Amino acid sequence: MAFLEIKQKLMSEVEALGFPRARVVRALHSTGNVSSEAAIHWLIDHENDPDIDQMPPVAVNIDIESPEPFHITEEMRRKAKELRIRSSKELQEAKRIAEEIERKRNINSRQVEKEEEKRAREKVVQKLEQDKIERKRFGGISSERSESLATKATATKAGEKDEPRSQNSLPATSVSKAVSMRECLRSLRHHHKDNFDKVRNAYQTLFIYVRNVAKNPDEERFRKIRLSNPLFQERVGSLTGGIEFLELCGFRKEGEFLYLPHDKIDPEALNTAGSLLNSALTNPFFGVLQSV
């Protein structure tokens, strides 16, 4: 009889995240027992497989790894102590650098928000001024100033004298969406700050959803998520900001699904989402500093 070789350590790690054993066995076998992370990615990609909860129809040989005994010498203890001291100093320096980077990012984010608010206010003021001019014109009241402002407003609207935009600046809608995405991820971490594993799993799952759509835009199965799926609910759906983040990526609720229509795919939004999620996964201080 054929056997599936499954490593006990990897199986325990994946089962500890709440996955049924049948799924774990399939995932580890399919990924060649490489790592628990590879198995989790496989489970997410194949969550809708009809036989996902069926134990493979072959015997399973669980490899229980037993450590080989060895003698710890004083030299080993001394080197281990030196390594711990050096690692502690390096970790403190890394934390300091990460905190400084995050602080600067927060400052930049606040500046972007303020600039966006300023543009919005200017737009409202311009609209009010233009409405006032129109009311005067229709009421038969005309003046040199109103005519001048009307001409300027018309020229601006037609793009004749529109203020030139910096080549390096982003469209306001893109900046707004990026800020909203970042706030979703910050909110998710803030509400679950006592359970970093849950936060990390949520970020990983969102990253996989975004990556799959970006790489396979024509595959509908990557653009359709069942809201009632227990795995989705556990890792994303039940967490504050999870569904909101996917909606900012273009997904929308349709019945019992989150669905991203093919004609609504926004590569720029997906790239922004992927960049923010990568930062959240690689920067241990992402979202810790809520204000500067």
Side-chain angles (χ1 to χ4, degrees):
M1 179 178 289
F3 285 91
L4 294 181
E5 292 288 343
I6 302 298
K7 291 186 178 181
Q8 174 70 36
K9 181 177 180 294
L10 295 180
M11 186 173 71
S12 299
E13 289 177 355
V14 182
E15 281 186 325
L17 295 174
F19 294 103
R21 174 158 296 193
R23 294 191 179 196
V24 175
V25 170
R26 282 184 175 276
L28 289 173
H29 174 65
S30 299
T31 57
N33 290 295
V34 175
S35 67
S36 57
E37 183 178 359
I40 292 171
H41 287 182
W42 186 94
L43 286 168
I44 293 174
D45 290 341
H46 295 267
E47 62 177 340
N48 294 321
D49 289 1
D51 58 348
I52 189 66
D53 289 311
Q54 298 177 10
M55 183 67 76
V58 292
V60 178
N61 181 21
I62 299 177
D63 174 25
I64 302 178
E65 302 173 353
S66 57
E68 298 180 359
F70 64 96
H71 178 65
I72 301 177
T73 64
E74 288 299 324
E75 179 66 13
M76 291 180 181
R77 289 193 178 94
R78 184 183 64 79
K79 289 185 177 181
K81 183 177 180 180
E82 291 177 354
L83 181 60
R84 284 195 299 270
I85 293 174
R86 186 167 63 251
S87 298
S88 177
K89 291 181 180 178
E90 292 174 353
L91 179 60
Q92 290 176 2
E93 179 63 15
K95 286 182 177 180
R96 186 192 66 77
I97 295 174
E99 287 175 349
E100 180 64 18
I101 292 174
E102 182 64 17
R103 187 184 69 82
K104 291 180 179 178
R105 285 177 177 172
N106 275 275
I107 292 175
N108 292 335
S109 176
R110 295 295 178 185
Q111 289 176 344
V112 169
E113 291 175 6
K114 289 179 179 179
E115 291 174 0
E116 182 183 358
E117 290 174 359
K118 181 181 178 182
R119 286 195 296 268
R121 285 195 300 270
E122 291 175 349
K123 196 171 184 180
V124 171
V125 170
Q126 182 182 4
K127 182 66 169 62
L128 291 173
E129 187 68 26
Q130 186 175 351
D131 289 345
K132 184 167 67 174
I133 294 171
E134 292 297 325
R135 285 196 301 271
K136 288 182 179 181
R137 293 181 65 186
F138 285 117
I141 302 173
S142 179
S143 67
E144 183 178 351
R145 178 177 179 274
S146 63
E147 290 294 337
S148 175
L149 289 173
T151 302
K152 182 178 180 181
T154 304
T156 300
K157 186 175 181 180
E160 297 175 3
K161 295 183 179 180
D162 196 12
E163 182 179 353
R165 183 187 302 273
S166 171
Q167 294 182 354
N168 295 326
S169 63
L170 291 173
T173 52
S174 299
V175 173
S176 177
K177 183 171 289 188
V179 171
S180 298
M181 286 180 178
R182 176 181 286 272
E183 288 305 318
C184 277
L185 297 181
R186 283 179 176 171
S187 178
L188 192 153
R189 174 158 184 172
H190 176 71
H191 282 83
H192 305 280
K193 57 186 176 182
D194 295 329
N195 191 340
F196 181 70
D197 287 341
K198 180 183 287 290
V199 174
R200 181 188 58 197
N201 290 338
Y203 288 166
Q204 287 178 339
T205 304
L206 288 170
F207 184 82
I208 290 171
Y209 283 134
V210 171
R211 180 200 62 187
N212 284 345
V213 174
K215 287 187 175 182
N216 308 279
D218 296 327
E219 292 285 341
E220 186 180 35
R221 65 191 181 100
F222 292 129
R223 297 184 280 107
K224 196 171 186 179
I225 305 170
R226 187 182 296 275
L227 288 166
S228 60
N229 183 285
L231 180 60
F232 171 76
Q233 281 297 321
E234 178 186 354
R235 297 172 71 91
V236 174
S238 63
L239 276 62
T240 302
I243 291 180
E244 290 83 349
F245 185 87
L246 289 172
E247 288 176 334
L248 287 169
C249 293
F251 284 87
R252 64 190 185 194
K253 292 181 181 178
E254 290 190 1
E256 58 178 327
F257 292 95
L258 271 178
Y259 183 63
L260 176 55
H262 187 272
D263 60 346
K264 299 296 183 182
I265 295 177
D266 184 352
E268 181 182 347
L270 294 175
N271 287 337
T272 299
S275 177
L276 288 172
L277 286 165
N278 183 63
S279 176
L281 285 166
T282 56
N283 180 2
F285 296 95
F286 181 89
V288 172
L289 303 175
Q290 293 298 317
S291 62
V292 178

